[in-house]
């Protein structure tokens, strides 16, 4: 990229010095306005996602229902245990899975609502214990973002170094770019839970049942981008400058094709994430914070945490090479029509952060590359002076 920019700058400088001070029988300036249509050609790229829950983090489970445990059981792990020790597998299933059906009753037997928060926490810890959590420190999701087609008012300005070579500035009214989400984002959650209590008097009590951990594994849905009309919008500022060679001759050829090459600069402002996607990310932030709060069960059940979540979205600026083919057709010495087809090898990196505003702690950090690679068509009317 740096070599491309350097080559264009050197070429432009040489053109300028070569033609400086020479009188020419042509008009130096031309400006046109018209319809600019942008057709992105890139496809969605994966998200790279990090949270501040390190693999192996141990957190208290807190309040959790037996049904939640059953919905998140690691069936593959239990199949492995059965293969290892088929004779004792029935007891393993009793202690680790079937007993979860009675978990709600066990909790109810031990909590009557008169406890202090500290007492409640201690009682729950004795029942549900803790869990070692893995899988959500960092992972890659196949979901991504794609830019959609857009239209805007285009403006082009040419400064002619001679009758054939011009420096072309390409701009227009900054359009609103709609980013469409593709796919769903899941967090690959895994946990090894504390053995559930085997308390006399509870349904299904069996004094011979061995203590064994509860194994959980599931893909926790963070957001389904496909169900939203858009994932985000942004205002795109994409000025370009290129050296252009015009075939034919002024005053002789009405139809003059041209080719050009240069650089395009992309900057995005006023970036707004879709309301539905934002709410999903806020819920994901609460999931992470609940783990830090010692409420891992609440993470699985989607309960709010102690945090106040905010979502920040940003996109890096980018410089891209651009090439163009087009033509001008003269109505007379001053007025002309123009059309062109351009292609820019443009991609940007987008970053999404979920932050607990109460502690200013970044809980989730996600990045993705957005391949825009647009084909740009332009049709306009211009004036030379």
């Amino acid at each position: 990229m740096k070599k491309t920019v350097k080559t264009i700058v050197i070429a432009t400088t040489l053109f300028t010095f070569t033609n400086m001070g020479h009188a020419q029988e042509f008009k130096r300036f031309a400006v046109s306005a018209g319809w600019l249509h942008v057709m992105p050609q890139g496809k969605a790229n994966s998200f790279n996602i990090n949270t501040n829950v390190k693999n192996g983090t141990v957190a208290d489970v807190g309040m959790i229902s037996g049904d939640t445990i059953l919905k998140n059981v690691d069936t593959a792990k239990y199949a492995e245990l059965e293969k290892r020790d088929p004779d004792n597998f029935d007891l393993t299933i009793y202690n680790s899975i079937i007993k979860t059906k009675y978990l709600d009753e066990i909790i109810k037997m031990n909590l009557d609502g008169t406890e202090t928060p500290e007492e409640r926490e201690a009682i729950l810890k004795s029942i549900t214990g803790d869990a070692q959590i893995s899988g959500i420190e960092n992972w890659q999701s196949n979901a991504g973002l794609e830019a959609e087609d857009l239209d805007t008012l285009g403006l082009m300005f040419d400064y002619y170094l001679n009758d054939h070579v011009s420096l072309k500035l390409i701009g227009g009214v900054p359009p609103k770019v709609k980013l469409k989400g593709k796919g769903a984002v899941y967090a690959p959650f895994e946990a090894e839970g504390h053995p559930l209590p085997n308390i006399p008097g509870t349904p299904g009590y069996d004094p011979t049942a061995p203590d064994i951990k509860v194994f959980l594994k599931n893909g926790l849905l963070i957001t389904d981008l496909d169900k939203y009309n858009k994932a985000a919008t942004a205002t795109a500022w994409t000025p370009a400058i290129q050296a252009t060679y015009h075939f034919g001759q002024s005053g002789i050829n009405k139809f003059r094709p041209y080719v050009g090459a240069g650089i395009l600069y992309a900057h995005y402002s006023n970036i707004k994430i879709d309301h539905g996607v934002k709410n999903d990310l806020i819920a994901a932030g609460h999931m992470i914070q609940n783990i830090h709060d010692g409420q891992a069960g609440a993470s699985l059940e989607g309960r709010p945490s102690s945090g106040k979540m905010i979502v920040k979205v940003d996109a890096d600026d980018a410089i891209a090479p651009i090439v163009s083919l087009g033509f001008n057709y003269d109505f007379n010495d001053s007025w002309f029509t123009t059309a062109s087809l351009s292609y820019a090898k443009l991609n940007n990196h987008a970053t999404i952060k979920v932050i607990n505003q109460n502690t200013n702690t970044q809980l989730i950090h996600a990045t993705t590359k957005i391949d825009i690679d647009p084909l740009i068509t332009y049709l306009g009317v211009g004036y030379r002076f």
Side-chain angles (χ1 to χ4, degrees):
M1 181 68 72
K2 289 183 178 178
K3 289 183 178 179
T4 302
V5 173
K6 191 178 293 183
T7 301
I8 292 168
V9 171
I10 292 172
T12 301
T13 304
L14 289 174
F15 277 132
T16 302
F17 281 115
T18 301
N19 291 277
M20 195 175 287
H22 292 274
Q24 301 289 339
E25 294 301 322
F26 59 89
K27 295 187 175 182
R28 286 278 184 187
F29 302 98
V31 63
S32 69
W35 171 43
L36 194 69
H37 181 63
V38 181
M39 298 171 286
Q41 304 298 300
K43 299 300 181 184
N45 291 286
S46 300
F47 273 103
N48 294 302
I49 305 169
N50 297 273
T51 78
N52 67 347
V53 176
K54 303 296 184 182
N55 289 333
T57 293
V58 177
D60 288 345
V61 175
M63 180 65 75
I64 191 171
S65 73
D67 187 55
T68 298
I69 294 175
L70 290 173
K71 287 179 179 177
N72 292 278
V73 162
D74 184 354
T75 54
K77 181 70 174 180
Y78 286 106
E80 178 186 334
L81 292 174
E82 182 180 25
K83 188 176 181 180
R84 286 183 189 174
D85 190 5
D87 294 336
N88 293 318
F89 186 65
D90 287 343
L91 289 178
T92 298
I93 285 292
Y94 164 77
N95 192 66
S96 297
I97 299 180
I98 296 176
K99 200 161 58 176
T100 62
K101 293 181 179 180
Y102 311 117
L103 178 60
D104 299 342
E105 295 180 48
I106 294 171
I107 292 174
K108 191 181 296 184
M109 286 174 59
N110 287 271
L111 294 175
D112 60 13
T114 63
E115 305 84 14
T116 65
E118 293 76 15
E119 290 171 338
R120 176 184 173 84
E121 183 178 336
I123 292 170
L124 284 172
K125 185 175 179 63
S126 70
I127 298 172
T128 58
D130 55 38
Q132 185 176 34
I133 298 167
S134 301
I136 58 174
E137 179 179 357
N138 56 73
W139 76 95
Q140 191 173 75
S141 169
N142 289 330
L145 302 173
E146 290 182 1
E148 297 195 333
D149 290 10
L150 59 90
D151 297 282
T152 190
L153 173 65
L155 298 171
M156 294 194 184
F157 178 82
D158 280 273
Y159 173 72
Y160 284 83
L161 303 174
N162 56 44
D163 191 36
H164 294 287
V165 178
S166 71
L167 295 180
K168 184 185 290 289
L169 178 64
I170 304 171
V173 175
K176 180 179 286 188
V177 179
K178 181 188 289 187
L179 296 175
K180 177 70 175 178
K182 298 289 184 180
V185 179
Y186 288 89
F189 171 86
E190 294 183 44
E192 293 185 9
H194 190 278
L196 296 176
N198 201 15
I199 301 174
T202 57
Y205 170 69
D206 183 348
T208 65
D211 283 340
I212 190 167
K213 287 185 175 181
V214 177
F215 298 97
L216 306 180
K217 184 176 183 179
N218 206 350
L220 304 179
L221 179 64
I222 303 299
T223 184
D224 182 0
L225 296 174
D226 287 325
K227 75 178 185 180
Y228 299 110
N229 181 47
K230 61 182 181 299
T233 59
T235 300
W237 303 77
T238 54
I241 186 169
Q242 62 181 21
T244 307
Y245 185 85
H246 303 259
F247 298 92
Q249 189 174 345
S250 294
I252 296 176
N253 304 105
K254 287 183 175 295
F255 178 78
R256 298 189 65 186
Y258 65 77
V259 295
I263 56 173
L264 178 147
Y265 171 73
H267 169 74
Y268 297 91
S269 64
N270 196 30
I271 302 173
K272 293 182 179 179
I273 196 165
D274 177 81
H275 183 71
V277 176
K278 182 178 180 180
N279 285 341
D280 290 344
L281 295 176
I282 287 173
H286 284 297
M287 180 184 76
I288 300 302
Q289 186 60 48
N290 270 323
I291 293 173
H292 294 303
D293 290 345
Q295 298 291 331
S299 294
L300 293 177
E301 295 178 347
R303 301 200 302 270
S305 71
S306 64
K308 180 180 179 182
M309 304 302 157
I310 58 173
V311 179
K312 293 185 177 181
V313 185
D314 192 22
D316 294 342
D317 293 355
I319 294 177
I322 183 171
V323 293
S324 300
L325 294 173
F327 69 86
N328 295 332
Y329 183 83
D330 295 347
F331 298 126
N332 54 42
D333 188 44
S334 297
W335 290 96
F336 64 96
T337 186
T338 182
S340 66
L341 174 66
S342 304
Y343 174 74
K345 186 61 179 174
L346 174 64
N347 60 71
N348 293 81
H349 286 85
T351 303
I352 299 173
K353 300 175 183 178
V354 182
I355 297 169
N356 181 354
Q357 199 171 30
N358 290 342
T359 60
N360 199 31
T361 302
Q362 180 178 280
L363 303 175
I364 301 173
H365 181 275
T367 60
T368 188
K369 187 175 78 166
I370 305 174
D371 288 330
I372 301 177
D373 300 341
L375 281 174
I376 306 166
T377 59
Y378 175 71
L379 179 63
V381 175
Y383 183 81
R384 296 189 186 92
F385 53 96

